[in-house]
Amino acid sequence: MGNVYHIADLHLGHNNILVFSEDYRMFDDIDEHDEWIVSQWNSVVNRKDKVFVHGDVCMDIKKLPLFDRMKGNKTLIMGNHDNFKSEEYLKYFSRLEGLVKYKGTWLSHAPLHPEELRGCKNIHGHLHEDTIKDTRYSCVSVEQNNGVPERFSDLF
């Protein structure tokens, strides 16, 4: 196995993300944005790597096939905007999860309440450009990492 990476809030096919995150996603149109996401992903991920995608991957089902072009073994941790049928996601992701415990770390879409951490740290998305000022949390939204998946070993 290769490296393990994390990323969240790709929002492929979501025209309004260009407005909501205009300071981070400065593109003329959503197709340009989506191609940038694919390029940033493939700049670090290799085919033997594992990637945890922390939700909100795609707002237009026609954009899901872009994941065929994205390297690595992908697990989707479902987010609040992941509303397609499971079988649609399973064409591109090896697993779908709600919450995962991985090497003493909780993996989620939205950050967990501090009382639920139970001695663990939390890798999450959902906050986009915001962060929690607590060393137990690491937000891996696209806005935090310029669209480049973050290596697990580099997060805390």
Side-chain angles (χ1 to χ4, degrees):
M1 180 191 248
N3 293 306
V4 176
Y5 290 95
H6 298 267
I7 193 164
D9 303 301
L10 282 68
H11 284 262
L12 300 173
H14 185 196
N15 286 307
N16 282 338
I17 199 68
L18 302 180
V19 175
F20 299 146
S21 293
E22 64 186 340
D23 292 340
Y24 299 90
R25 302 182 198 225
M26 299 171 271
F27 300 96
D28 293 330
D29 62 53
I30 198 61
D31 292 329
E32 182 183 354
H33 166 269
D34 295 349
E35 287 300 320
W36 174 76
I37 293 283
V38 172
S39 176
Q40 294 295 85
W41 176 299
N42 286 335
S43 73
V44 296
V45 177
N46 294 308
R47 79 178 170 82
K48 291 185 178 183
D49 294 335
K50 179 163 189 58
V51 183
F52 287 100
V53 184
H54 293 251
D56 290 3
V57 296
C58 188
M59 305 299 279
D60 178 352
I61 199 165
K62 294 176 191 160
K63 295 289 189 151
L64 273 176
L66 287 173
F67 284 98
D68 271 344
R69 295 176 39 211
M70 298 160 95
K71 299 173 191 170
N73 178 347
K74 299 171 277 290
T75 294
L76 174 58
I77 300 167
M78 304 294 285
N80 56 299
H81 290 296
D82 297 319
N83 300 317
F84 306 128
K85 293 183 179 189
S86 296
E87 47 272 15
E88 294 298 330
Y89 294 107
L90 288 170
K91 293 175 185 176
Y92 310 99
F93 293 89
S94 60
R95 292 176 39 207
L96 306 179
E97 302 286 351
L99 180 66
V100 175
K101 192 169 187 183
Y102 177 81
K103 296 189 176 185
T105 305
W106 290 110
L107 311 181
S108 60
H109 173 61
L112 299 179
H113 188 281
E115 290 182 12
E116 296 300 319
L117 293 178
R118 300 183 179 137
C120 296
K121 295 183 178 190
N122 181 205
I123 301 171
H124 62 86
H126 189 65
L127 300 183
H128 292 268
E129 61 271 357
D130 295 328
T131 59
I132 297 172
K133 298 196 182 345
D134 181 326
T135 59
R136 298 175 295 174
Y137 293 89
S138 184
C139 181
V140 293
S141 295
V142 164
E143 291 83 356
Q144 300 289 330
N145 52 36
N146 198 34
V148 177
E150 296 188 62
R151 193 182 330 214
F152 178 75
S153 59
D154 295 337
L155 285 171
F156 293 104

